[in-house]
Amino acid sequence: MWWGGRGQSFNIAPQKAEPDMGLSGPKSVQRTGMLESRSCQLGSHLASGCLPGEQILAWAPGVRKGLEPELPGTLICTNLRVTFQPCGWQRSQETPLSSEYDFVLVNIGRLEAVSGLSRVQLLRPGSPLKFTPEEILIHGRDFRLLRVAFEAGGLEPQAFQVTMAIVRARAQSSQAQQYAGISLSKAGQSSGPRKPPIPLLETSEDWETERKKQGAGSWRVSPVNERFDVATSLPRYFWVPKRTLDSEVRRAFGHFHQGRGPRLSWHHPGGSDLLRCGGFYTASDPNKEDIRAVESMLQAGHSDVVLVDTVDELPSLTDVQLAHLKLRALCLPDSSAAEEKWLSALEGTRWLDYVRSCLRKASDISVLVTSRVRSVVLQERGDRDFNGLLSSLVQLLSAPEARTLLGFQSLVQREWVAAGHPFLTRLGVTGASEEAPVFLLFLDCVWQLLQQFPAEFEFSEFFLLALHDSARVPDTLTFLRDTPWERGKQSGQFNSYTQIYTAGYSQLPAGNSVNPQLSVWDWDLRYSSEQILQFHNPGYDPEHCPDSWLPRQQPNFMVSGPPSSVWLFSRGALTPLNQLCPWRDSPSLLAVSSRWLPRPAISSESLADQEWGLPSHWGACPLPPGLLLPGYLGPQIRLWRRCYLRGRPEVQKGLSAPTISGLQDELSHLQELLRKWTPRISPEDHSEKRDPNTIVSQSR
């Protein structure tokens, strides 16, 4: 996590005796007595406040190194996490997982043991430790590094034990068996129902309320997937055209990959509709009625339809994963990249290029949605990754309501959680080969928008950091399952969430007090009130967001599209299509391929120029109300330093801070720089008026 905290104690569980590493005789007895004495002292110090079901597997005294100042303390491994507890450190029990010293087991990306100057062993699950380590390095998937040096003087067996305990605990956590019965929230002790802070979209009433907020009068809530027999990756309810029967929906969805047919993602107040769907299942053989139903759902009552090839110009899942691994290796404190070549190494990761590509495509789609009254359909083969990313960004760019704190949480719940993004697989919790942090890429894109339009967003950078870190913490089932069906099954009922992670159980274990309405959005269960206050952006201008979510009047800039027009948006250009469905004339796969080949772009103008006029007129033409068009060229895309360089405190100093306390820290840092440089100024310089900004710039 990104906040420091006040300490917490643990329950000491009985441990099996480890090998004595060759110690024998009176010295061994003496050292054993010393260890037992220190263990009793530690047990009395760490006796209360342990999470229900959490047990200590091993511990060892040590010193946290690599950061200033070095801190003496204790490295503790439990069946949930690895934590370093500094001596005399106390933490509130109200926020048990909000500490910079905690590394949840699933968040550990790499574990290294070090002895001397040359002996380094990379410890994988199941691998034996070949020597007693003098240091241990824990690399977090969230760009943190914990480096602990163990004390000498007869405590070597403890260093060996805690290291092997971490190896074994990681192996069990990778098998999704380690957190059974652990209540990770203080709400586990509460009684009675708890109302979620936002609708979790698990009931038809939630979907109907959201539909009315968006003013989607031509749409209705369909219960066709109420028993998850259409698609387990889809929610139980979703929006379909009002005139489409559920029987038609069921048949039409069978002609799309994984049964993920076209459904409403967002209704623009000007009249356009943003849809998302999976790829056409071209091996199917639909009848004419099915084809008409598919076309009717894609058109959504509009004569102008644009089919967007979502993955075009965007990285593959493999590209995203490789870029994230390179970025993490570069940003850790022990990176081998030379300082003078660091920027070129950052460019070589391609991470910022992928952020730029996502923002550019989302901007183009936003223009498509806001420039004409039409149906814009996002089509991705699986409909579970980049469709959610682009749909979310389009709404952030086009809808001021989505930029509020509650609006953004509702957006993520609808487009990511309820829509079936495979969080568990993409974040690498299962160890599957399909790992790719698409959701973290989305959060980086949102951070870029926050930097470019600081007055347009109600939430702050710290909220994005909390959400970034929560994606890897097994606190709720929100990010711990791949589909709504799995979350419903795991919680024991299909319309609830739970704070208990009981992998491998179809029902909740007996004896646990479960509040079924907990989700990741229950921030007050895991963060203090002071931390939650930092979620709000003090520079936000409420006038940029309407007071109501009710639909506004149709803006006068939106006009109807060409009659009966079908377009393919690919490689930044609109290409007319002969037909909307690939099976219209022939079910032949060869015919489908020839009809869907995109034509070359006929113009080098941007999509905004094509939709709203020539470039010479663009500067004089105001943007539609509420629409943001971000910059994505060159230095306009920046590195999220507060997230990716969090392991380097010297880099964090001087960052622009969006909070009063952060501004005070930055001011103190600048004053310290001035004090350091003032004695170096010659006497004649004192007689002249100096610009403080010049002094500060010279010190960098």
Side-chain angles (χ1 to χ4, degrees):
M1 293 296 194
W2 49 274
W3 283 298
R6 302 178 300 260
Q8 177 188 345
S9 55
F10 298 83
N11 290 335
I12 304 294
Q15 302 299 311
K16 297 179 66 175
E18 295 286 345
D20 195 27
M21 298 295 293
L23 298 177
S24 60
K27 289 185 178 181
S28 175
V29 175
Q30 182 180 4
R31 290 177 179 178
T32 302
M34 293 174 57
L35 292 179
E36 292 178 352
S37 176
R38 295 190 62 173
S39 178
C40 292
Q41 295 176 4
L42 179 64
S44 61
H45 179 64
L46 307 175
S48 63
C50 182
L51 293 173
E54 186 177 14
Q55 294 181 341
I56 284 186
L57 305 179
W59 63 272
V63 178
R64 189 191 70 171
K65 303 177 69 66
L67 300 176
E68 295 294 339
E70 295 183 349
L71 294 177
T74 304
L75 184 67
I76 305 170
C77 175
T78 76
N79 57 336
L80 167 67
R81 56 185 161 179
V82 176
T83 186
F84 179 81
Q85 180 161 331
C87 295
W89 179 55
Q90 295 296 322
R91 168 174 49 183
S92 172
Q93 298 179 15
E94 295 183 351
T95 56
L97 286 176
S98 297
S99 168
E100 60 177 316
Y101 304 119
D102 289 331
F103 279 73
V104 178
L105 294 175
V106 295
N107 189 34
I108 298 178
R110 190 174 65 183
L111 179 65
E112 293 179 327
V114 180
S115 179
L117 299 177
S118 59
R119 300 184 69 182
V120 179
Q121 181 182 356
L122 178 63
L123 298 176
R124 297 182 174 89
S127 62
L129 182 59
K130 301 178 180 179
F131 52 83
T132 300
E134 297 178 3
E135 291 185 4
I136 184 174
L137 282 77
I138 302 176
H139 300 258
R141 296 176 182 268
D142 57 359
F143 295 86
R144 291 184 298 151
L145 173 64
L146 178 62
R147 178 184 174 191
V148 177
F150 297 111
E151 294 181 357
L155 298 178
E156 294 86 353
Q158 286 183 277
F160 183 90
Q161 292 171 14
V162 72
T163 304
M164 288 306 303
I166 297 174
V167 174
R168 289 192 294 266
R170 285 186 65 202
Q172 294 180 4
S173 67
S174 64
Q175 299 170 3
Q177 297 176 351
Q178 189 67 1
Y179 306 129
I182 299 180
S183 177
L184 302 179
S185 172
K186 63 183 180 183
Q189 304 173 356
S190 64
S191 60
R194 175 184 175 88
K195 183 179 180 180
I198 63 168
L200 299 181
L201 299 177
E202 296 173 333
T203 65
S204 59
E205 291 78 12
D206 288 348
W207 285 93
E208 179 63 20
T209 301
E210 183 67 22
R211 185 194 66 81
K212 292 180 179 179
K213 286 181 179 180
Q214 296 189 14
S218 59
W219 297 81
R220 67 176 179 89
V221 178
S222 173
V224 69
N225 195 42
E226 198 165 25
R227 299 179 63 86
F228 295 100
D229 53 349
V230 173
T232 57
S233 63
L234 285 178
R236 299 174 66 192
Y237 309 97
F238 44 77
W239 298 314
V240 298
K242 181 178 292 185
R243 296 184 179 181
T244 306
L245 302 177
D246 283 340
S247 58
E248 295 176 325
V249 173
R250 183 182 296 273
R251 292 197 308 269
F253 274 41
H255 302 296
F256 289 84
H257 185 67
Q258 295 184 358
R260 298 179 66 90
R263 62 207 183 279
L264 178 66
S265 179
W266 176 59
H267 175 76
H268 189 277
S272 292
D273 290 310
L274 181 66
L275 288 72
R276 56 185 292 183
C277 67
F280 291 117
Y281 181 36
T282 53
S284 63
D285 187 13
N287 53 38
K288 294 182 179 180
E289 288 75 15
D290 288 352
I291 294 179
R292 282 196 294 264
V294 170
E295 289 180 335
S296 176
M297 298 176 69
L298 292 173
Q299 290 174 342
H302 300 281
S303 59
D304 187 15
V305 184
V306 178
L307 199 63
V308 179
D309 184 2
T310 300
V311 298
D312 176 55
E313 298 182 294
L314 293 186
S316 65
L317 295 178
T318 303
D319 293 335
V320 174
Q321 172 65 4
L322 182 59
H324 192 262
L325 291 176
K326 290 181 178 179
L327 179 67
R328 195 167 67 208
L330 177 65
C331 293
L332 286 175
D334 63 342
S335 173
S336 59
E339 192 68 27
E340 62 274 9
K341 296 182 179 180
W342 199 89
L343 291 179
S344 60
L346 174 62
E347 182 180 359
T349 65
R350 301 295 305 278
W351 180 260
L352 296 184
D353 288 338
Y354 299 153
V355 172
R356 182 178 295 107
S357 300
C358 293
L359 289 176
R360 179 173 60 244
K361 186 138 193 174
S363 299
D364 287 343
I365 299 173
S366 300
V367 172
L368 289 173
V369 173
T370 57
S371 61
R372 299 287 190 275
V373 179
R374 53 163 57 115
S375 172
V376 179
V377 184
L378 305 179
Q379 189 171 41
E380 178 189 18
R381 185 176 185 273
D383 181 38
R384 302 177 66 184
D385 293 295
F386 289 104
N387 265 8
L389 183 147
L390 291 177
S391 177
S392 302
L393 289 180
V394 168
Q395 295 178 56
L396 285 172
L397 294 176
S398 307
E401 300 89 350
R403 303 170 206 150
T404 64
L405 187 58
L406 291 179
F408 181 76
Q409 294 177 98
S410 299
L411 173 68
V412 174
Q413 182 71 24
R414 184 177 69 252
E415 299 297 334
W416 293 87
V417 181
H421 176 70
F423 286 102
L424 198 65
T425 299
R426 294 292 181 257
L427 294 176
V429 180
T430 61
S433 58
E434 296 85 4
E435 180 179 357
V438 180
F439 182 68
L440 305 185
L441 178 64
F442 162 70
L443 294 182
D444 197 321
C445 293
V446 178
W447 180 84
Q448 303 290 338
L449 298 178
L450 183 61
Q451 302 309 300
Q452 296 191 26
F453 307 99
E456 300 283 348
F457 292 84
E458 185 182 18
F459 54 88
S460 69
E461 177 184 20
F462 293 114
F463 172 77
L464 293 179
L465 278 172
L467 190 55
H468 178 280
D469 294 347
S470 297
R472 296 194 185 277
V473 174
D475 199 326
T476 66
L477 290 181
T478 304
F479 296 142
L480 276 178
R481 289 296 179 267
D482 283 344
T483 65
W485 176 79
E486 292 177 0
R487 275 187 291 269
K489 180 180 179 181
Q490 193 62 53
S491 64
Q493 51 184 337
F494 284 107
N495 61 345
S496 65
Y497 288 86
T498 175
Q499 84 278 19
I500 305 296
Y501 180 18
T502 54
Y505 293 88
S506 59
Q507 296 181 353
L508 295 174
N512 283 301
S513 176
V514 177
N515 189 323
Q517 291 297 330
L518 292 184
S519 71
V520 72
W521 314 118
D522 292 291
W523 298 110
D524 61 322
L525 303 180
R526 294 168 291 128
Y527 293 90
S528 66
S529 56
E530 293 80 6
Q531 294 168 341
I532 294 177
L533 285 176
Q534 297 187 46
F535 287 179
H536 296 267
N537 175 19
Y540 172 65
D541 186 358
E543 295 182 358
H544 293 170
C545 179
D547 296 333
S548 173
W549 280 45
L550 295 178
R552 302 182 295 275
Q553 296 293 326
Q554 176 171 325
N556 54 12
F557 64 88
M558 295 188 70
V559 297
S560 299
S564 302
S565 58
V566 180
W567 307 85
L568 173 66
F569 180 66
S570 178
R571 301 190 181 279
L574 286 170
T575 305
L577 289 175
N578 297 328
Q579 61 188 33
L580 186 57
C581 292
W583 315 277
R584 167 56 69 181
D585 296 330
S586 171
S588 170
L589 191 60
L590 180 60
V592 171
S593 301
S594 63
R595 291 179 182 274
W596 281 80
L597 286 176
R599 301 179 184 178
I602 59 177
S603 173
S604 60
E605 300 172 355
S606 68
L607 184 60
D609 299 333
Q610 297 179 37
E611 291 289 290
W612 283 322
L614 297 176
S616 59
H617 299 148
W618 175 245
C621 178
L623 289 176
L627 178 63
L628 306 178
L629 290 183
Y632 44 78
L633 300 178
Q636 293 175 306
I637 302 300
R638 301 160 55 188
L639 177 68
W640 191 1
R641 294 194 290 169
R642 197 181 294 276
C643 178
Y644 302 141
L645 298 179
R646 66 177 72 189
R648 300 184 178 187
E650 71 281 359
V651 179
Q652 300 293 326
K653 292 182 178 180
L655 291 179
S656 57
T659 63
I660 299 300
S661 59
L663 291 174
Q664 291 175 344
D665 293 340
E666 184 174 353
L667 178 60
S668 301
H669 174 64
L670 294 176
Q671 291 174 341
E672 181 182 359
L673 288 177
L674 288 174
R675 286 193 298 269
K676 289 181 179 180
W677 281 92
T678 299
R680 303 186 185 184
I681 303 176
S682 59
E684 55 272 15
D685 291 335
H686 283 287
S687 61
E688 301 177 2
K689 293 183 178 181
R690 298 292 304 276
D691 184 2
N693 295 328
T694 304
I695 301 177
V696 174
S697 63
Q698 291 175 351
S699 66
R700 294 182 175 177

